[in-house]
Amino acid sequence: MQSYLSNDWNIDDASETYGIRAWGRNYFDISENGDVVVSCTTAEGEKVRVALPDIIAGMKARGFEMPALLRIENILDHRVRMINEAFTKAIEQASYQSIYRGVFPIKVNQQRHVVEEIVKFGRRYHHGLEAGSKAELMIALASSPDEERYIVCNGYKDEEFINLGLRAVQLGWRCFFVLETLSELELIIRCSQQLSVQPILGVRVKLSSTVDGHWKTSSGDRSIFGLTSIQLVEVVERLKLAGMLDCLKMLHFHLGSQIPNIQNIRQGVQEACRYYISLIKEGAAMGHLDLGGGLAIDYEGVSQCDTHSKNYTLSEYCIDIVEAVMETLDPQGVAHPVLMTESGRFTVAHSSLFLFNVLEVSNFDPVKNVRLLPDNMQSGHYDEKLRNLLDVLECITPKNVQECYNDAHFYRSEIRRKFNQGQADLRTRAVAENVFLEIIQRIQEVAASTQQIPKELTNLREDFADIYYGNFSVFQSLPDTWAIKQVFPVMPVHRLQEQPTREAMIADLTCDCDGKLDNFIGKRHTIPLHALEEGKDYFLGVFLVGAYQETLSDLHNLFGDSNVVSVRVTGDGEFEFVREIHGDSIADVLSYVEYDPRILQERFRDTVEQAVRSGKINVETRREILGAFDESLRGYTYFEH
Ligand SMILES: *Cc1c(COP(=O)(O)O)cnc(C)c1O
């Protein structure tokens, strides 16, 4: 469907259309020749730009097919630096009398390369790790030691988890147990007495402050995590009894992820500070205030208090927190605690993007040049309803578009009814359907030229949008778009000097109605795309996907992990492929669902052998068939060229 009619298009229009300069935050932009470029600062402090199509070509040359997840290490480094430096600056400006120590929550992206890079780059800031399970704690403990860095253990903890954490304390790590329940405390007291190790304890409080955004309903009193004020008193009593109140060193809260409203954050901090002061008064050692995650990403690039955006900058976030803490604690004469956050989404979202190619397009354009009616049929013999439909096509004017639309619908359903009752033949129905599409097309052209689109017709663009079939699985690579209606920026990564002429939604390879992308930034359900060119690839990118997407994925239709490539941009504007991981093969995904690829091979070989014996195929064909089967087992689960 033709939708953008002006022909003086340039890359600024492309930037406007896809919002890239708004959500791209200087990491992504469009080059003069219409490619999406990644801009970053190298280790030597130089600003360089690399075009995504060049990286795609490099991947291809190394045998990495689409779809693929691309990580840009420089961006990850930059995010870690940003959050540490923003807090340091806010602290200096306000003369706050303590420091900031961030921890990265491993659950947000557990991939070894990501965690390792955060630890490696974050070392200069003693950026630590947050673990929500035994497995995550083990990841943290296997990272290179740094006695200044914090490890924060959240989540339900069994004896094994606790002993592991206590051993870490014995080794000199600053490993906090954050109490989520009372029963956990008993276990910790017992284990630490057995090992004679003083635990480092924190308490997670359930705040009554609520947050806007997706996690609204799970914040406040209904939060499933954290201790109430009643339980907090019980914790204090129990620790006093065990002579361990001096082990309680941290107050922790987590209001939810992607908090769009800075007001909520300020309120949360104020409430938490009251608890902090109270615990000091109860005699706990304290010294640390951990504000959890929640620092949001502006996926839409609109800087608003909206689920997929936020109404504050990083520096406002830091300043507001520092100020709120000082305003609450100073009048009480309470010393400033070490400020901690567990920002996951903020740290990793920008550093990964997901790339896929478009396999084909289906559209709702009327066909031309195809003879739908027999040559010898005179218009006088047309079905009466079809003639009515043809009349509608002839009389569309700006004034009667709504009427024509209604009539077209009516006559088309009449013909469908007659077809269903055996009174109209296939040719008649096909012509009627095609004329109907012609009418829709004409209505849109006429309506676009007058700018007066009747209300009922505003959905036409969506209802008749093209379907672009992408070589990927939503469930595997972008699970949040399906699970929580997360909106990610999506756009072509090349051809942006050209005006997109189609309006589309994007379907994936799974045969599932939910396997699609139809929520785009700007609250739109379709996205402008370019028409495919014969024999040429068309690549789309989904951006800001570094947080939460990689391990929430599932094997719907047995599409497995995609290829993953990490690049590091270097000073000369070149890039190095620092890590490469091939995605799952078909044999891999089959084994995840308990099939043994060797047994499958044997069974199939039996079937083929039977066919040879019964004379259906010869041994030569047998060899070819078995070869193809073996090759498929080793192949990528996605569409291969
Ligand atoms: C998930 C989680 C985080 C990370 O939140 P973001 O919004 O991604 O920064 C931090 N802390 C806890 C306890 C969490 O459960």
Side-chain angles (χ1 to χ4, degrees), residues 110-378:
Q110 297 115 328
Q111 297 298 315
R112 180 165 64 89
H113 299 158
V114 172
V115 175
E116 280 178 359
E117 184 61 24
I118 291 171
V119 168
K120 188 176 109 198
F121 187 83
R123 200 177 175 85
R124 68 197 74 181
Y125 308 108
H126 307 294
H127 206 85
L129 295 168
E130 185 264 356
S133 66
K134 268 183 281 189
E136 289 181 357
L137 176 58
M138 295 176 86
I139 291 176
L141 295 183
S143 66
S144 61
D146 168 1
E147 293 191 359
E148 293 283 302
R149 185 201 312 150
Y150 290 97
I151 294 187
V152 178
C153 301
N154 288 316
Y156 294 101
K157 297 174 247 336
D158 64 6
E159 199 166 329
E160 212 166 60
F161 193 156
I162 291 164
N163 282 330
L164 208 57
L166 289 171
R167 293 299 185 191
V169 173
Q170 231 173 1
L171 293 172
W173 295 70
R174 300 187 187 211
C175 181
F176 276 90
F177 290 134
V178 176
L179 298 173
E180 307 249 3
T181 63
L182 278 174
S183 55
E184 213 163 67
L185 179 58
E186 287 310 317
L187 207 54
I188 292 175
I189 292 174
R190 182 157 56 75
C191 293
S192 54
Q193 283 167 350
Q194 273 163 7
L195 291 181
S196 306
V197 178
Q198 289 270 305
I200 313 174
L201 298 179
V203 274
R204 178 165 184 171
V205 288
K206 187 192 292 227
L207 299 184
S208 52
S209 306
T210 56
V211 296
D212 296 328
H214 184 81
W215 283 271
K216 190 180 189 128
T217 51
S218 55
S219 62
D221 290 337
R222 289 300 302 158
S223 162
I224 47 179
F225 296 107
L227 302 171
T228 61
S229 54
I230 306 163
Q231 292 167 322
L232 213 51
V233 173
E234 288 183 75
V235 167
V236 169
E237 285 303 315
R238 184 66 189 91
L239 283 175
K240 251 190 213 161
L241 197 67
M244 288 169 67
L245 198 52
D246 56 339
C247 296
L248 183 55
K249 293 187 172 154
M250 177 213 274
L251 186 94
H252 175 284
F253 70 95
H254 172 69
L255 291 170
S257 195
Q258 183 67 15
I259 302 173
N261 191 353
I262 188 77
Q263 274 322 104
N264 299 154
I265 292 167
R266 234 178 198 282
Q267 262 169 24
V269 173
Q270 280 163 354
E271 188 182 352
C273 284
R274 290 291 158 206
Y275 278 109
Y276 185 88
I277 296 165
S278 310
L279 287 172
I280 296 250
K281 288 193 176 148
E282 292 283 339
M286 304 312 284
H288 303 83
L289 181 62
D290 181 344
L291 316 166
L295 176 53
I297 291 294
D298 194 355
Y299 293 96
E300 298 234 31
V302 292
S303 309
Q304 285 172 8
C305 175
D306 182 280
T307 309
H308 307 294
S309 183
K310 57 173 179 172
N311 64 2
Y312 54 94
T313 62
L314 172 64
S315 97
E316 283 171 66
Y317 174 82
C318 299
I319 291 168
D320 276 31
I321 287 172
V322 170
E323 281 179 4
V325 172
M326 291 172 79
E327 276 165 22
T328 330
L329 299 192
D330 287 353
Q332 304 291 318
V334 171
H336 298 162
V338 172
L339 287 179
M340 303 173 67
T341 66
E342 304 173 344
S343 300
R345 186 185 298 275
F346 177 88
T347 311
V348 290
H350 290 78
S351 62
S352 297
L353 56 119
F354 182 66
L355 296 162
F356 63 91
N357 54 318
V358 173
L359 296 172
E360 70 174 316
V361 177
S362 70
N363 64 40
F364 298 87
D365 293 354
V367 297
K368 307 221 161 65
N369 313 322
V370 179
R371 199 157 268 299
L372 294 174
L373 282 177
D375 289 345
N376 55 3
M377 190 186 263
Q378 305 291 311

Side-chain angles (χ1 to χ4, degrees), residues 578-631:
V578 279
R579 328 228 191 192
E580 304 172 341
I581 311 166
H582 276 284
D584 289 322
S585 68
I586 291 178
D588 291 335
V589 297
L590 289 176
S591 64
Y592 300 155
V593 284
E594 309 296 335
Y595 288 93
D596 182 336
R598 277 168 317 171
I599 294 176
L600 291 180
Q601 252 170 339
E602 273 169 33
R603 290 204 188 137
F604 188 62
R605 195 183 307 129
D606 290 346
T607 306
V608 178
E609 186 53 37
Q610 287 287 338
V612 174
R613 265 189 255 142
S614 62
K616 288 200 189 83
I617 57 169
N618 61 21
V619 288
E620 178 59 20
T621 311
R622 171 190 187 274
R623 202 173 56 82
E624 282 167 19
I625 292 175
L626 288 179
F629 190 83
D630 288 356
E631 198 173 324

Side-chain angles (χ1 to χ4, degrees), residues 436-563:
F436 177 81
L437 293 176
E438 275 184 76
I439 293 170
I440 294 294
Q441 196 173 54
R442 188 82 58 86
I443 286 176
Q444 293 196 73
E445 282 162 15
V446 169
S449 67
T450 60
Q451 306 287 321
Q452 288 181 337
I453 306 173
K455 223 170 168 229
E456 273 181 59
L457 301 188
T458 47
N459 287 338
L460 279 189
R461 188 171 65 182
E462 284 169 23
D463 294 346
F464 293 90
D466 294 353
I467 302 172
Y468 274 56
Y469 292 91
N471 188 17
F472 73 107
S473 157
V474 159
F475 308 97
Q476 177 60 238
S477 298
L478 304 164
D480 278 352
T481 60
W482 168 69
I484 59 166
K485 298 269 165 279
Q486 174 69 50
V487 171
F488 293 109
V490 180
M491 68 183 290
V493 303
H494 55 164
R495 294 179 62 188
L496 293 161
Q497 80 288 17
E498 246 178 84
Q499 185 168 14
T501 55
R502 312 294 305 180
E503 232 7 86
M505 55 82 67
I506 298 166
D508 74 2
L509 285 181
T510 65
C511 13
D512 191 310
C513 315
D514 281 347
K516 61 183 179 186
L517 296 179
D518 63 355
N519 282 305
F520 301 100
I521 63 174
K523 314 243 177 293
R524 296 181 46 150
H525 298 294
T526 61
I527 181 178
L529 293 177
H530 302 88
L532 293 193
E533 289 178 322
E534 191 64 33
K536 289 194 187 157
D537 277 321
Y538 187 53
F539 296 114
L540 298 180
V542 185
F543 292 80
L544 318 190
V545 299
Y548 298 104
Q549 300 316 290
E550 291 187 45
T551 31
L552 284 176
S553 60
D554 75 14
L555 288 171
H556 205 15
N557 277 139
L558 297 184
F559 287 109
D561 275 345
S562 70
N563 290 326

Side-chain angles (χ1 to χ4, degrees), residues 371-434:
R371 199 157 268 299
L372 294 174
L373 282 177
D375 289 345
N376 55 3
M377 190 186 263
Q378 305 291 311
S379 57
H381 291 100
Y382 288 179
D383 184 287
E384 183 201 339
K385 304 293 184 208
L386 177 55
R387 259 186 288 136
N388 296 142
L389 209 48
L390 284 161
D391 291 342
V392 174
L393 180 61
E394 294 312 315
C395 70
I396 301 168
T397 65
K399 291 221 163 58
N400 69 1
V401 282
Q402 179 72 59
E403 191 187 331
C404 289
Y405 178 74
N406 298 343
D407 288 350
H409 256 285
F410 174 73
Y411 293 123
R412 184 183 65 164
S413 49
E414 283 294 287
I415 289 187
R416 286 179 172 182
R417 185 183 56 75
K418 287 179 90 172
F419 177 79
N420 293 347
Q421 292 172 354
Q423 295 161 3
D425 62 9
L426 172 67
R427 298 285 177 147
T428 301
R429 174 156 183 183
V431 174
E433 298 282 351
N434 204 49

